[in-house]
Amino acid sequence: MQNRKQEKQNILMSAFYGYIGEHHVDNICDEIDSLKEEIDKIEIPETLDDWFDGYVKNARKKDNQKRINVKMRSISSKTAVILLVLFLSFVTLTFSVEAFRIQVFNLLFMDHDEYSNVKIEREPAEDKTIIEWDHYYYPAYIPEGFYIESVSDLANVRQIKFRNSSGKYIDFTQIPNGTYVSLDTEGGEKKDVEIENRKAVLTVKEGKNILFWNNEEYSFYLTSNLELEKLIFIAESLEKK
Amino acid sequence: MLFFDIVIDDDNVRKKIEQIYNLYKKLLFYTAYSILKDYHEAEDVVHMAIIKICNHLDKIEEIECNKTKAFLVILVRNIAINVYNKKRRITDIDMERLTDLEDENINPEEYMLKVENAEWIARKLASINPEYADVLVFRYTYQFTIEEIAYLLNTTEGNVRVKIHRARKVLHEIMKGEYFENAE
């Protein structure tokens, strides 16, 4: 009860102090008014105005920066949401639509394939065997990436097999004229071509080209899954060793 | 030149502080200079005051009025007095006496709340110690917290409490009639 009474008295006194304060405010203002002329005469240093201008300008700059930051934060969060939605859609499509999944996997495999090719092209192919014959023909031009996989010499039938890493092959066979050899050209499409102004026969069968021609000494066969133009280059580049 | 962190958040606030500065810059500078008698120090005090005003702009409802004018004068005057005291190594308040803070019980009836004498009491208090009158106004008229007053007047909360306590004590003495013999 005593505390409550004291509390009420304190409220009353606080209000009274406030009321006295109001008079103090009025007294200050009266004093200022009496000094008005003197106050108006005072010269303000220019540096004070400069400081204030700089202060407000700086505040504006900081304010703009703050606004930009808020905007950027908002944009970046929206972008993150969009990317997340795209990623989730991609994942959902990959796992639920077979055609899409195949496309994705193909893309990945293709990439891997290209990577492998680049790696192989950097390192020159090395022959796995050496030719130790005398008096033989050898193509001066062999496409890049091919290496000699094997050589054989059976009853004057000499064969050199070239391979590359992507499954292409060139089998070059040379036989002294007059030797009987049977070639698997049955059912193939045949046509005449020219190699160094000499007549040659091309047979195209089951995705491979078989080129047959001869000179005064030898008959030659080139069997390959390379295109015809390259085979003709190879054939025309023969040199005697 | 002084640099402080700026808290002017939007255009309206900026316009308000620009209006206050343009209207009262001479008064602010005059008040600070009349205490410090040094252009550079007076300028620094005005800087400090502007920054403090920016942090309490919400307390200023109307720019061109007696209440705002007096608030600015009290603010600059007290900052300037603090600067003056610090420069001359005068301690603001004897901190050892902070324990003497218990308010005596006040009975308004005892003083009969001499409402008609309020103006004279205010004048008397200010003549005894203007700082007491100023701190009382900040606390009871402008309704600032102790923490806010400490920030505005560049002093500690302990000092503010001591000043308010002493201001009330002097007021009670005035109201008891101890100073009435000097009444006009």
Side-chain angles (χ1 to χ4, degrees):
Chain A
M1 192 66 187
Q2 187 64 30
N3 282 348
R4 182 80 186 120
K5 194 183 171 193
Q6 187 60 50
E7 210 176 294
K8 283 178 185 171
Q9 284 180 356
N10 285 346
I11 292 168
L12 191 59
M13 287 310 291
S14 293
F16 188 58
Y17 297 146
Y19 182 67
I20 291 170
E22 292 285 356
H23 282 285
H24 182 57
V25 166
D26 291 342
N27 293 340
I28 289 172
C29 290
D30 290 345
E31 200 184 323
I32 294 165
D33 289 345
S34 68
L35 295 167
K36 197 176 178 306
E37 262 182 50
E38 211 175 318
I39 293 167
D40 286 343
K41 265 191 262 170
I42 197 159
E43 286 293 319
I44 298 284
E46 275 179 24
T47 48
L48 186 63
D49 283 340
D50 293 345
W51 173 86
F52 185 77
D53 289 344
Y55 179 72
V56 173
K57 207 182 277 175
N58 200 7
R60 195 171 286 138
K61 211 186 283 173
K62 280 195 176 181
D63 192 24
N64 288 342
Q65 189 60 46
K66 206 169 147 187
R67 277 181 202 164
I68 289 167
N69 288 347
V70 169
K71 212 169 187 179
M72 287 302 287
R73 264 202 294 275
S74 147
I75 289 169
S76 59
S77 59
K78 277 177 193 164
T79 311
V81 169
I82 290 166
L83 285 175
L84 185 68
V85 168
L86 281 174
F87 175 74
L88 289 174
S89 313
F90 186 79
V91 169
T92 312
L93 273 172
T94 307
F95 284 100
S96 60
V97 182
E98 195 180 349
F100 191 81
R101 183 165 58 243
I102 289 165
Q103 283 293 322
V104 171
F105 288 151
N106 280 348
L107 188 71
L108 293 174
F109 279 121
M110 272 168 67
D111 281 348
H112 180 69
D113 200 23
E114 278 178 16
Y115 169 74
S116 303
N117 282 343
V118 170
K119 196 176 172 186
I120 287 161
E121 279 166 11
R122 275 183 183 171
E123 293 172 12
E126 280 183 24
D127 294 336
K128 287 186 175 175
T129 186
I130 313 160
I131 300 170
E132 291 174 334
W133 304 327
D134 293 323
H135 310 295
Y136 66 98
Y137 284 88
Y138 186 87
Y141 167 73
I142 288 292
E144 215 176 307
F146 279 84
Y147 57 91
I148 299 172
E149 191 198 51
S150 64
V151 292
S152 62
D153 185 354
L154 294 167
N156 285 331
V157 179
R158 288 172 168 174
Q159 192 176 47
I160 307 168
K161 290 185 173 182
F162 300 93
R163 298 288 181 268
N164 75 2
S165 60
S166 48
K168 300 286 182 189
Y169 64 91
I170 305 163
D171 293 345
F172 173 60
T173 309
Q174 49 196 296
I175 312 150
N177 286 339
T179 309
Y180 177 78
V181 178
S182 66
L183 284 170
D184 177 24
T185 57
E186 193 184 343
E189 191 188 323
K190 289 182 183 165
K191 70 171 181 180
D192 291 340
V193 291
E194 273 194 358
I195 293 169
E196 289 192 324
N197 300 321
R198 285 171 185 268
K199 191 184 161 190
V201 179
L202 170 74
T203 307
V204 181
K205 187 189 173 186
E206 294 165 359
K208 63 186 177 188
N209 292 315
I210 304 161
L211 195 60
F212 169 71
W213 77 106
N214 69 309
N215 63 12
E216 294 79 14
E217 290 180 280
Y218 285 88
S219 296
F220 307 102
Y221 299 93
L222 262 178
T223 308
S224 175
N225 52 4
L226 289 177
E227 52 271 36
L228 176 63
E229 289 75 20
K230 278 191 179 167
L231 284 190
I232 290 173
F233 268 129
I234 296 167
E236 288 183 336
S237 71
L238 284 188
E239 286 175 355
K240 194 171 184 180
K241 301 273 182 181
Chain B
M1 194 170 281
L2 297 169
F3 291 96
F4 291 87
D5 202 17
I6 294 162
V7 285
I8 305 176
D9 281 339
D10 58 52
D11 280 340
N12 290 337
V13 175
R14 246 190 322 268
K15 272 178 199 158
K16 196 172 180 181
I17 191 66
E18 276 172 343
Q19 279 176 317
I20 291 171
Y21 176 78
N22 289 327
L23 189 63
Y24 295 115
K25 61 182 177 185
K26 282 199 169 189
L27 175 63
L28 298 180
F29 188 77
Y30 174 86
T31 309
Y33 182 76
S34 61
I35 294 164
L36 296 162
K37 309 286 181 211
D38 182 293
Y39 264 78
H40 296 294
E41 281 180 350
E43 203 178 326
D44 280 352
V45 166
V46 176
H47 295 171
M48 275 192 260
I50 292 289
I51 290 157
K52 286 175 191 296
I53 293 162
C54 284
N55 282 327
H56 288 88
L57 268 186
D58 54 317
K59 296 273 183 180
I60 299 174
E61 286 164 11
E62 204 180 324
I63 293 170
E64 208 168 346
C65 68
N66 277 358
K67 214 171 167 182
T68 302
K69 201 194 287 182
F71 165 65
L72 298 175
V73 169
I74 293 171
L75 183 64
V76 169
R77 180 160 73 190
N78 282 274
I79 297 171
I81 290 169
N82 269 346
V83 170
Y84 180 89
N85 288 347
K86 274 179 191 160
K87 204 170 77 174
R88 282 146 193 89
R89 296 181 189 281
I90 300 168
T91 47
D92 197 11
I93 291 282
D94 184 359
M95 297 302 286
E96 286 173 13
R97 295 183 62 191
L98 281 176
T99 47
D100 181 29
L101 270 180
E102 283 300 308
D103 261 332
E104 62 273 31
N105 284 344
I106 302 151
N107 183 0
E109 290 156 15
E110 194 182 325
Y111 309 128
M112 291 180 291
L113 289 185
K114 299 180 173 71
V115 173
E116 69 276 15
N117 291 328
E119 192 196 339
W120 177 85
I121 293 168
R123 224 178 267 281
K124 193 74 203 170
L125 180 66
S127 70
I128 292 165
N129 189 331
E131 284 181 71
Y132 289 171
D134 290 348
V135 83
L136 210 74
V137 168
F138 270 13
R139 183 76 185 102
Y140 295 104
T141 310
Y142 294 103
Q143 305 272 308
F144 284 119
T145 63
I146 302 287
E147 193 186 354
E148 285 171 332
I149 298 170
Y151 169 76
L152 287 169
L153 303 185
N154 253 8
T155 187
T156 63
E157 288 178 34
N159 279 352
V160 173
R161 281 198 186 88
V162 169
K163 275 187 185 173
I164 290 172
H165 172 74
R166 289 182 182 171
R168 282 196 303 241
K169 211 171 171 181
V170 172
L171 258 187
H172 298 161
E173 285 165 6
I174 294 168
M175 288 189 287
K176 270 181 193 168
E178 288 179 23
Y179 293 91
F180 271 96
E181 65 276 15
N182 298 321
E184 289 160 9

